[in-house]
Amino acid sequence: MSERRRTGRYHSRVHRWLRYVAQRLILRPVIASSVRVTVEGERNLAGLDGPFILVANHSSHLDAPLCLTTLPYRVTKNIATAAGADYFYSSKWRSLLTSLFFNTYPVERGKARGKSAGLSVSLLRQGVPLLIFPEGTRSRTGEMADFTPGAAALARALRLPLVPVALVGAHDAMPVGMFWPKSGRMPVKVLIGKPLRVRAGEKLPEFNARAQARVRAMHTMQTSYVLVPEDNATPKPGSNDLPEAQEGIS
């Protein structure tokens, strides 16, 4: 199967229209009626063009819906969401629903190679931005776990911006084990940080740690206005290795 055929759905105008209906006309009102959402840092998305990788902390099934319904449509209209194949693609009805509402693609966690191997790279090279949760699975306590390096490795190898997002309050509103947000429209914040790019000579562990630190700082301080010096120098050519992301909604 050719790469373009394997990724055809992510370029389909029909599927994009169906996603718009699902995300903006169905899911967005549901989220707005269930939690009180505050979005901060949208100006950090100004000028964002072409493929990018959005990374966020992960503690609730609210996380992907929050990102896809509250960020500007110009940012989310083509974005594909990494999803654990072991759960979201374990049955036909679940894979169809998650595909429709979240434009998911399967990630086979814990496997070096699989049916979906290389899909992250293919999508990015074809101009499709990605939403990845680098912790790999939802936090059971609401505390952030360390980021695994897949998302940072993709951004570093392909020289793409990594957009950090901190989701505050989602765990309290809908912790693991609940299938609907708590009553009372609990407050939730979506904090968007300035896009990160790999620095000249920056190794993968350093870049991954910097992305993790940015999301953690925004999450802890509950604001997107975190002052962290950035090096805007042009990065040196690096490794051509393009490891598959091993993170997804779970």
Side-chain angles (χ1 to χ4, degrees):
M1 181 184 297
S2 69
E3 283 301 298
R4 195 69 183 190
R5 183 179 177 184
R6 187 166 70 142
T7 61
R9 175 174 65 78
Y10 303 94
H11 304 281
S12 167
R13 291 184 179 180
V14 172
H15 198 277
R16 187 181 303 122
W17 179 83
L18 291 173
R19 285 201 312 271
Y20 179 86
V21 173
Q23 293 177 359
R24 296 283 160 160
L25 303 185
I26 299 175
L27 189 58
R28 190 174 188 175
V30 170
I31 294 296
S33 67
S34 302
V35 293
R36 288 185 288 115
V37 185
T38 301
V39 182
E40 182 182 290
E42 286 188 62
R43 69 180 185 181
N44 288 324
L45 298 172
L48 190 65
D49 191 23
F52 59 87
I53 303 172
L54 191 152
V55 293
N57 59 299
H58 196 21
S59 63
S60 172
H61 273 322
L62 281 173
D63 297 337
L66 284 168
C67 290
L68 294 173
T69 62
T70 63
L71 270 61
Y73 180 64
R74 67 172 183 82
V75 172
T76 64
K77 68 178 180 179
N78 294 318
I79 202 166
T81 305
D86 54 329
Y87 179 77
F88 288 98
Y89 285 80
S90 61
S91 64
K92 189 69 173 178
W93 68 267
R94 185 180 287 125
S95 65
L96 286 174
L97 284 176
T98 55
S99 169
L100 173 62
F101 280 87
F102 307 118
N103 199 30
T104 54
Y105 69 95
V107 173
E108 298 181 62
R109 293 173 293 192
K111 296 182 180 179
R113 305 297 296 176
K115 293 181 180 179
S116 60
L119 194 50
S120 297
V121 175
S122 296
L123 289 170
L124 289 169
R125 282 180 166 166
Q126 292 170 19
V128 178
L130 304 182
L131 167 59
I132 296 176
F133 296 97
E135 292 166 272
T137 189
R138 288 170 294 159
S139 167
R140 269 50 183 171
T141 64
E143 296 296 321
M144 275 183 58
D146 289 340
F147 282 10
T148 50
L154 288 167
R156 180 176 180 269
L158 296 175
R159 296 300 188 252
L160 297 175
L162 203 65
V163 182
V165 172
L167 303 169
V168 180
H171 178 265
D172 291 335
M174 188 178 172
V176 174
M178 293 191 67
F179 295 93
W180 198 261
K182 295 177 182 177
S183 61
R185 296 188 69 230
M186 298 182 67
V188 174
K189 288 185 177 182
V190 180
L191 308 173
I192 308 162
K194 182 180 178 182
L196 304 173
R197 290 184 179 272
V198 66
R199 295 168 175 169
E202 187 172 31
K203 303 298 184 182
L204 174 58
E206 298 167 348
F207 185 41
N208 186 54
R210 186 157 60 94
Q212 175 184 308
R214 176 62 63 86
V215 175
R216 188 182 297 277
M218 292 193 299
H219 187 267
T220 300
M221 299 175 67
Q222 297 193 20
T223 178
S224 62
Y225 302 108
V226 177
L227 299 178
V228 179
E230 287 299 329
D231 183 352
N232 294 320
T234 302
K236 297 176 181 179
S239 169
N240 288 323
D241 294 336
L242 300 174
E244 181 71 6
Q246 294 294 318
E247 306 83 15
I249 54 176
S250 173

